[in-house]
Amino acid sequence: MTQCKNARSPFKWDDLRFFLAVAQAGSLLGASKTLRVDRTTVARRIDALERSIGKRLFSSEDGISRTTEVGNAVLKASERVSDEITELEHLLYGSHEGVEGTVKIAVAQGLGDAFIQDILALHEVHPRISIEIVSVANPMTLVAERKADLGIGDAYERPDRLESALLGNLEIAMYGSTARSGQLPTTWIGWSDYAPKPFVDWVNDHVGQGESISTKVNSWEALQSAVLAGGAAAPLWCMLADSNPRLERLCDAEAHYIALWLASPQGLKRLPPHEAAWRFLRKRIAEHVTAADKS
């Protein structure tokens, strides 16, 4: 990206379309495929936008474009503008009821319960869209293989080779059963070895003093069941565990956060029902995550 100077040129609204494409795809090449233009054109438009506002919007490392602090603010505003334009198009050219088709959505295992109501609410706005939901360990793999139209999953970094939108950050904390009556956990349960290192390190740092992980599983449902069974402690999604009166946070355990992403195949123009679902879920789930984080 360009090194910005103080001199500014007139701002062009159409440059936001290129900015959004790069932010969602995570690279100039990915954006060029989405927009069906060459990479040089995308780079030129981003440079023009950065010059017009006099600030850097992206930082690049290993071919991945990440939004700067200013870029994050511009991204949120740009997404709102994009949504408003879509609403205007619906008013001018047709109603929501005219969108029909099937959308297959892959959701990360353990998160389906958290967002099922948000997904089903799509019917309230688009009653002629049929939804297929599949719960899998890695929804982004299904999207990359084009076996799913949209994916909802957690990851520390923006998914590679996919068009994606950040929905928020999910909180995880260590939980025990309220049936312990104040007693220390007798068993500490962690995630299987293929879990991301930052998560594994956090879990290991928050087991009881002198204790260690004695059991590992690869299912969020199994983690919760083990805690509810008695004296075990395990990391759980806060937005699900906090609503269960039989679970309680371990007060001395600092919370951990993992980003939640919405993704679709890169370089493939979304069909009307897929685009409608993308826009609805991006806004609806982001609001849900924000509300849960404030509660």
Side-chain angles (χ1 to χ4, degrees):
M1 306 300 171
T2 186
Q3 293 291 332
C4 299
K5 300 180 180 180
N6 292 330
R8 299 182 181 182
S9 56
F11 174 81
K12 295 182 179 180
W13 285 104
D14 192 52
D15 288 337
L16 286 180
R17 184 165 61 93
F18 286 80
F19 168 79
L20 269 175
V22 175
Q24 292 172 346
S27 68
L28 295 175
L29 181 60
S32 69
K33 293 179 180 179
T34 299
L35 297 170
R36 300 181 185 278
V37 298
D38 59 71
R39 182 182 181 280
T40 303
T41 299
V42 177
R44 177 171 52 80
R45 297 297 289 269
I46 295 300
D47 284 346
L49 180 58
E50 289 181 330
R51 289 181 186 279
S52 71
I53 64 175
K55 298 181 183 296
R56 293 286 299 275
L57 298 175
F58 292 100
S59 61
S60 298
E61 183 178 351
D62 298 328
I64 300 176
S65 299
R66 295 185 174 87
T67 51
T68 62
E69 183 176 353
V70 173
N72 286 332
V74 174
L75 176 59
K76 292 179 180 179
S78 299
E79 288 176 337
R80 290 196 297 269
V81 171
S82 179
D83 288 339
E84 291 297 331
I85 291 175
T86 299
E87 288 299 318
L88 179 59
E89 289 175 343
H90 281 304
L91 289 173
L92 294 175
Y93 305 117
S95 65
H96 290 300
E97 288 75 12
V99 181
E100 60 180 302
T102 300
V103 181
K104 186 172 184 179
I105 304 173
V107 183
Q109 290 176 347
L111 290 177
D113 289 347
F115 302 115
I116 186 64
Q117 292 300 321
D118 297 310
I119 296 174
L120 294 180
L122 177 64
H123 285 304
E124 299 174 7
V125 181
H126 300 285
R128 299 174 66 179
I129 290 181
S130 298
I131 304 171
E132 294 182 13
I133 303 173
V134 55
S135 178
V136 293
N138 190 344
M140 302 313 176
T141 298
L142 261 65
V143 176
E145 295 174 350
R146 300 189 178 179
K147 295 179 180 178
D149 305 308
L150 302 177
I152 300 172
D154 56 293
Y156 287 96
E157 299 289 342
R158 183 179 295 275
D160 291 335
R161 297 181 292 278
L162 293 174
E163 182 176 348
S164 59
L166 177 63
L167 301 176
N169 292 298
L170 298 180
E171 184 181 13
I172 300 175
M174 298 297 288
Y175 285 82
S177 169
T178 54
R180 294 181 302 112
S181 300
Q183 296 182 354
L184 294 175
T186 57
T187 303
W188 293 84
I189 303 177
W191 198 258
S192 296
D193 291 335
Y194 67 81
K197 187 176 185 301
F199 177 72
V200 174
D201 290 344
W202 172 79
V203 171
N204 290 333
D205 288 343
H206 288 85
V207 299
Q209 186 174 4
E211 301 286 342
S212 62
I213 299 296
S214 60
T215 304
K216 295 181 180 180
V217 300
N218 64 350
S219 162
W220 291 103
E221 291 82 359
L223 284 174
Q224 178 169 296
S225 296
V227 174
L228 291 173
L236 299 173
W237 295 115
C238 296
M239 66 188 311
L240 290 173
D242 284 345
S243 62
N244 191 325
R246 298 171 59 196
L247 296 171
E248 62 181 1
R249 295 196 194 196
L250 302 183
C251 297
D252 58 345
E254 180 183 351
H256 186 68
Y257 292 87
I258 302 179
L260 181 69
W261 303 91
L262 175 66
S264 69
Q266 188 181 82
L268 186 66
K269 182 176 176 60
R270 287 187 289 268
L271 297 174
H274 305 162
E275 180 67 19
W278 169 277
R279 292 181 180 277
F280 177 84
L281 294 175
R282 188 183 69 192
K283 181 179 180 181
R284 173 89 178 211
I285 294 179
E287 291 174 347
H288 184 171
V289 173
T290 299
D293 191 45
K294 292 180 179 179
S295 62

